[in-house]
Amino acid sequence: MKVISITNNKGGTGKTTTTLNLSAALSRKGNKVLLIDLDAQCNLSVAAGASKTAKHIGELLVGETDFESALIKKQNFDIIPASRQLLSYEYRINAEPDSGYFLQEQLEGQNYDFVLIDCPPSLGSLTVNALVASDFFIVPMQGENFAYVGLDEILQLCAKIKKRMNPKIELGGILLNKFDVRTKFGQMVHSKLLSDPNVKLYKTQIRQDVSLMECTAFALSVFEYAPESRGAKDFESLCEEVLLQTQI
Ligand SMILES: Nc1ncnc2c1ncn2[C@@H]1O[C@H](COP(=O)(O)OP(=O)(O)OP(=O)(O)O)[C@@H](O)[C@H]1O
Ligand SMILES: [Mg+2]
């Protein structure tokens, strides 16, 4: 089982879009996939058609419900949805001495090929829980101002987690999304990324594609909504890279 966090403390960089469509690509290759929505905005849960459910990840983390009860089984994947109330659960987790290990504990003994975790746009204890439970993490990034500042913060957090809590955590790669290298910021960020020895870039870039925006409204992956689209091709290509990385 490979656990992958999709994270960036900057909002709107494509975390949820990546979680949803990478999982669809992995599932099309015959992998058993679990999605975890760790964001109180519930975007992944809504896009996966799993938002109106009784149980959620917050309740699972604090032990108010068990794994099977929190799980929604869909045709192509299983998902543990989020809730608007997740923030109050995060406060409760924060109060515990071992607050970083709650998700890892819940995933122990589970039998999936891949677990993909959609993180909130922050580096609080929910993201720490995701990174502690993960084998690697993917950082979707756009070429705007402050993109690189956010990356430094994530890499520093990861280094601390690697040292103290989860020695196996690695950067899977930075995923350039809607990234325009023709803009000044795009160029600046791109050349910094290429020259940084701590950074790995996926070869695949996710191009701007309206299908990626539209598919979520129909609770479909881009492969079901627009199989011939650029978005479908790009996520297929990202999936190949991830499979090579994990050698499954
Ligand atoms: N490559 C793309 N082409 C077109 N639209 C995109 C692309 N990537 C993301 N979007 C759109 O941009 C918006 C933000 O994407 P998304 O919700 O995946 O980001 P996020 O990082 O999960 O945001 P948040 O930080 O709020 O959780 C969404 O409306 C999504 O449909
Ligand atoms: Mg999101």
Side-chain angles (χ1 to χ4, degrees), residues 103-169:
L103 182 58
Q104 185 192 57
E105 212 172 272
Q106 290 297 336
L107 291 178
E108 250 162 45
Q110 294 301 330
N111 187 23
Y112 290 91
D113 297 312
F114 288 94
V115 181
L116 267 62
I117 307 171
D118 186 20
C119 292
S122 70
L123 298 178
S125 60
L126 289 174
T127 297
V128 171
N129 265 271
L131 293 174
V132 169
S134 290
D135 295 282
F136 64 90
F137 61 103
I138 297 174
V139 183
M141 184 184 270
Q142 297 181 6
E144 323 137 333
N145 198 8
F146 303 130
Y148 204 75
V149 179
L151 178 62
D152 272 352
E153 288 169 1
I154 300 163
L155 295 180
Q156 277 169 26
L157 176 67
C158 170
K160 285 182 197 162
I161 289 174
K162 192 174 178 69
K163 192 169 165 196
R164 302 187 187 129
M165 302 166 91
N166 176 15
K168 69 180 180 203
I169 186 78

Side-chain angles (χ1 to χ4, degrees), residues 43-54:
N43 291 344
L44 180 70
S45 310
V46 172
S51 58
K52 295 194 175 62
T53 56

